[in-house]
Amino acid sequence: MAPVIGYWNLRGAVEPIILTLKQAKASYKLRVYKLGDAPDFDKSDWLNEKHNLGLPYPNLPYYIDGDLKITQTLAILHYLARKHDLGPRNALESIRSDIFEQGAFEITHSLWTAWYVESDQEFEDRRLGLDSYLVEKLNHTGNAFGSNKFILGDRVTFVDFLLYSTLDYIRQYKPSLLDPYANLKSYLDRIEGLPEINKYLKSNSFSRFPITDATAKWGNDTIQKPY
């Protein structure tokens, strides 16, 4: 049987996992959990299973392949990278991969912190700080990336899909933030041009939105207006 990936019906934290599996041409099944409508946003579809799946650290996303059960996004990505040779191959590559992994993860966390808030006013207040933070972090990322084809050179790895998703979420949110970085914009095009990724992005299985769930103040509509 194919491994099962469990997550909500959105891109969020699961997309780098899906892209890594697509690049590896690995089969999988997606268990999509439903979030209830406002105002309650009922999570019982997930909560009713959360402690009954034998997950050692119950969380979404999860990866189940027979007796193998993994949670936590980065743990799943590291496992898949080792399994499909989509990770670093030496100490220097590991250092560079770790740096970009941490950088992308921190940027994504900043998006969630700003978008998942209680009120529209809080969102507007946080958005100003988010934009300033993203300007700084994109500068770091663009400089560190340099003229490489992919993060580790000419070979695509799992951390490319982590960075790709992060950058694309920013691109959907406020495209102008990426305008100063021709290398990052061409990198996004390069990832999307990979045959397996391109096939997936053009399929009915993929949609740019939602990025977040219905409780967020941005990214949860099927069509979302950028800033």
Side-chain angles (χ1 to χ4, degrees):
M1 293 180 61
V4 177
I5 308 293
Y7 199 61
W8 307 105
N9 185 28
L10 52 98
R11 293 172 73 186
V14 80
E15 177 165 281
I17 296 170
I18 299 299
L19 295 179
T20 300
L21 287 164
K22 291 297 183 182
Q23 180 65 18
K25 300 182 182 180
S27 61
Y28 66 91
K29 292 183 179 180
L30 197 59
R31 166 60 166 105
V32 176
Y33 291 93
K34 297 178 181 178
L35 181 69
D37 295 331
D40 297 329
F41 301 112
D42 179 34
K43 295 183 178 180
S44 60
D45 190 32
W46 159 238
L47 296 178
N48 288 341
E49 290 190 0
K50 182 176 181 178
H51 298 290
N52 299 318
L53 296 172
L55 301 171
Y57 203 113
N59 204 353
L60 293 175
Y62 64 67
Y63 177 96
I64 298 177
D65 188 6
D67 293 332
L68 178 66
K69 300 179 180 184
I70 313 173
T71 55
Q72 306 301 88
T73 301
L74 295 181
I76 296 169
L77 284 170
H78 290 172
Y79 167 76
L80 294 175
R82 291 189 295 267
K83 181 177 181 179
H84 299 291
D85 190 26
L86 287 171
R89 292 173 177 169
N90 58 52
L92 288 178
E93 284 191 349
S94 293
I95 292 170
R96 184 169 172 82
S97 180
D98 289 349
I99 290 171
F100 274 87
E101 175 188 301
Q102 184 70 30
F105 208 71
E106 288 179 358
I107 293 171
T108 303
H109 178 71
S110 75
L111 301 178
W112 302 159
T113 301
W115 295 347
Y116 283 97
V117 291
E118 295 293 327
S119 68
D120 291 340
Q121 185 59 54
E122 186 178 3
F123 169 64
E124 289 302 323
D125 291 343
R126 291 201 181 193
R127 194 168 66 79
L128 298 176
L130 172 64
D131 290 4
S132 177
Y133 173 85
L134 292 177
V135 167
E136 178 183 28
K137 291 302 178 181
L138 285 171
N139 184 53
H140 294 168
T141 304
N143 288 339
F145 190 88
S147 59
N148 275 13
K149 185 176 181 181
F150 300 109
I151 290 172
L152 299 187
D154 292 334
R155 182 172 63 91
V156 69
T157 61
F158 83 94
V159 77
D160 286 297
F161 301 124
L162 188 65
L163 181 60
Y164 167 81
S165 297
T166 301
L167 293 178
D168 188 58
Y169 297 166
I170 295 170
R171 177 170 60 174
Q172 303 308 317
Y173 163 66
K174 191 169 184 178
S176 62
L177 288 171
L178 284 167
D179 284 347
Y181 307 103
N183 61 338
L184 296 182
K185 292 174 76 172
S186 62
Y187 169 68
L188 287 169
D189 293 339
R190 205 172 299 122
I191 293 292
E192 293 181 347
L194 293 167
E196 295 302 318
I197 304 305
N198 186 261
K199 187 190 307 181
Y200 170 63
L201 296 181
K202 290 181 177 178
S203 73
N204 292 331
S205 299
F206 175 78
S207 177
R208 293 286 173 189
F209 294 97
I211 293 171
T212 56
D213 70 33
T215 66
K217 294 300 179 182
W218 192 89
N220 55 22
D221 291 333
T222 53
I223 299 177
Q224 187 76 55
K225 181 181 177 181
Y227 282 89

